Amino acid sequence: MDAMHDELTGLRNRRNFVGLLRRCVSASNEHRATMALLVVDIDGFARLNNAYGYDVGDQLLAHLAALLGEVARSHDYTARIGDNRFALILNRVLNQGHVELAIQKLFRLLDTPFQGERMRFRIPVTVGAALCPLHASQPDALMRRAEAALVCARAEGVRRAYAPDASRDLELSDLWDLEMQLAGAIERGEMVLHYQPQLCANSLRVVGAEALMRWNSRSRGAVAPDIFIPIAERTGQIGKLTTWALNTALRQAAEWGVDERVSVSVNLPGTLAVQPHLPELVEAALKLWGSDRVQLVIEVTESSLMDAGRAFASLEALRRLGARISIDDFGTGYSCLAYFRNIPADEIKIDQTFVRDLLGDSASADIVRVIVELSHRCGFRVAAEGVENQETLAALRRLGCDSVQGYLFGKAMASAELREWLAEHRAEHFA
Ligand code: C2E
Ligand code: CA
Ligand code: CA
């Protein structure tokens, strides 16, 4: 068996699956064809292994793999993505009902008991499902939502669950209307950047601000970035929006009137991180609006590093232009520790979920501790976002975090507002 397939079941392995999912999601977005991701887990697998032995465990896995193969149509894919976890990608489905048919087919097949050498039993399985674009339109988000649905199904004691709708009540037709509206949003002056302050964790001096896009649609009111950014990515409008954000952020940051050098961070979507013309875009913006007092920081999500070869080259080019790189949402992607130290970055930004759970959940604290230690050893600074209270700030300081950002200090605000905020908070401390 090769490095891309699982020896026991012959299915694609996790590594193979990550690339495959990405391709299926991008085909779904491109052709506007709904696809579904099912995550299938054997319940209590460790217990089964203990009770019947590993041979039987292996037979169960192979049997389930074969059943998944029966459910898959010619253009669907199956993979083994964990010890007792499988994935089924259903391409070109019509709707959720269509997905339900596939799930029910799997359950029907499973109703025939598995016949081992010494016993017969039904394989207990739980399924979590998420649809693209209904629940998410990015591969890693889709994966997270399908896995979250699996957790919900378990918690509710049901055999299968769907992710709750990401786009809330948005129907497909509504999505397409948003898409149309988004196309002219910059020209109509509906887009603005808001800025959220970032502070040094120890001194609480303001070191910079992150630019976050806001869309005040004339016809629809405020539309959340979680809604319109994925649409922009899917339709390719994100390129234009990012160019606009780069230029606007550099221009506005130069007007903040701070004495010390201040950084302004712009979010770069994964789809652009690998575009060959990206360095030109950044260079042009820096030529037009660059200032000695403003340090440009580009935030890319950890998951956009999946295509490490291409993304790394492109980020290196940005660093040569003088931009700093921050790896956003760190800890949620599929980063491989083997290449961690080679990531062309200056900063690792720990995902909010770990920060939020820091006080209550010792696993989150451990993860943050490991990320900080590893980052410092590799020469990266560490930022934390989503800091909402003093206790979390104190914990992050103890763990050695370098910079912090969150509602405790300030929400994202318009450029003029931030300018006033900076003047007020230059001396004032939050401790
Ligand atoms: P992100 O890049 O991880 O941005 C951080 C999000 O966390 C922002 O939400 C921010 O307002 C929110 N946040 C900050 N501090 C706290 C806190 O203490 N508590 C809580 N609960 N939330 C906090 P926002 O502005 O809604 O943006 C959501 C996401 O949309 C961003 O996540 C980013 O992925 C995307 N986005 C926003 N603006 C842009 C942009 O200009 N370009 C791109 N490509 N994506 C953007
Ligand atoms: Ca960010
Ligand atoms: Ca983030």
Side-chain angles (χ1 to χ4, degrees), residues 198 210-212 265-268 299-301 326-329 349 352 385 405:
Q198 298 169 318
E210 176 179 3
L212 293 157
S265 308
V266 174
N267 288 285
L268 185 80
E299 290 193 6
V300 282
T301 60
S326 175
I327 309 299
D328 205 355
D329 301 345
K349 201 167 183 183
Q352 293 196 29
E385 68 181 338
Q405 171 184 352

Side-chain angles (χ1 to χ4, degrees), residues 35-264:
M35 64 153 286
L37 170 63
L38 309 187
V39 176
V40 180
D41 228 23
I42 303 183
D43 304 325
F45 185 64
R47 243 188 358 261
L48 290 172
N49 253 338
N50 285 337
Y52 299 106
Y54 287 95
D55 275 358
V56 173
D58 284 356
Q59 287 170 27
L60 281 183
L61 293 171
H63 182 64
L64 178 55
L67 297 187
L68 287 169
E70 283 188 49
V71 175
R73 300 160 301 170
S74 61
H75 49 280
D76 296 336
Y77 296 102
T78 50
R80 182 175 175 202
I81 57 173
D83 283 346
N84 55 321
R85 182 162 291 192
F86 295 83
L88 181 57
I89 295 177
L90 303 173
N91 285 307
R92 285 179 262 144
V93 293
L94 299 174
N95 48 41
Q96 195 157 315
H98 203 172
V99 179
E100 185 62 25
L101 286 177
I103 297 178
Q104 292 307 329
K105 174 165 183 190
L106 176 66
F107 287 158
R108 265 201 319 280
L109 292 170
L110 284 165
D111 280 343
T112 306
F114 166 74
Q115 180 70 58
E117 272 165 28
R118 282 168 285 133
M119 76 332 247
R120 268 161 74 90
F121 59 82
R122 288 200 172 79
I123 307 178
V125 152
T126 305
V127 178
L131 278 68
C132 170
L134 181 65
H135 300 121
S137 55
Q138 293 296 311
D140 50 335
L142 192 68
M143 186 68 201
R144 279 202 300 271
R145 307 210 56 150
E147 291 193 311
L150 180 77
V151 172
C152 285
R154 284 245 163 86
E156 290 167 18
V158 295
R159 287 176 97 183
R160 57 107 185 88
Y162 294 88
D165 285 8
S167 329
R168 297 172 199 136
D169 316 318
L170 288 185
E171 295 289 329
L172 267 187
S173 59
D174 216 20
L175 273 178
W176 286 325
D177 174 61
L178 269 176
E179 207 175 293
M180 303 271 293
Q181 297 296 326
L182 187 59
I186 294 179
E187 289 77 3
R188 291 193 300 273
E190 296 174 353
M191 281 293 165
V192 279
L193 286 181
H194 277 193
Y195 299 89
Q196 184 176 37
Q198 298 169 318
L199 295 80
C200 167
N202 286 317
S203 68
L204 295 182
R205 220 168 23 85
V206 179
V207 290
E210 176 179 3
L212 293 157
M213 228 180 265
R214 296 291 176 258
W215 179 20
N216 300 311
S217 161
R218 225 169 268 177
S219 58
R220 314 183 62 111
V223 183
D226 288 336
I227 302 271
F228 74 80
I229 298 283
I231 297 177
E233 291 196 31
R234 195 169 67 242
T235 56
Q237 300 182 46
I238 193 70
K240 183 174 158 191
L241 285 172
T242 305
T243 306
W244 170 83
L246 270 169
N247 285 278
T248 307
L250 284 170
R251 173 170 59 77
Q252 295 189 320
E255 293 166 355
W256 291 339
V258 283
D259 312 325
E260 291 161 70
R261 199 170 155 86
V262 68
S263 69
V264 68

Side-chain angles (χ1 to χ4, degrees), residues 380-396:
F380 306 136
R381 297 177 61 75
V382 181
E385 68 181 338
V387 183
E388 295 188 352
N389 53 56
Q390 291 287 355
E391 294 75 24
T392 304
L393 170 64
L396 288 165

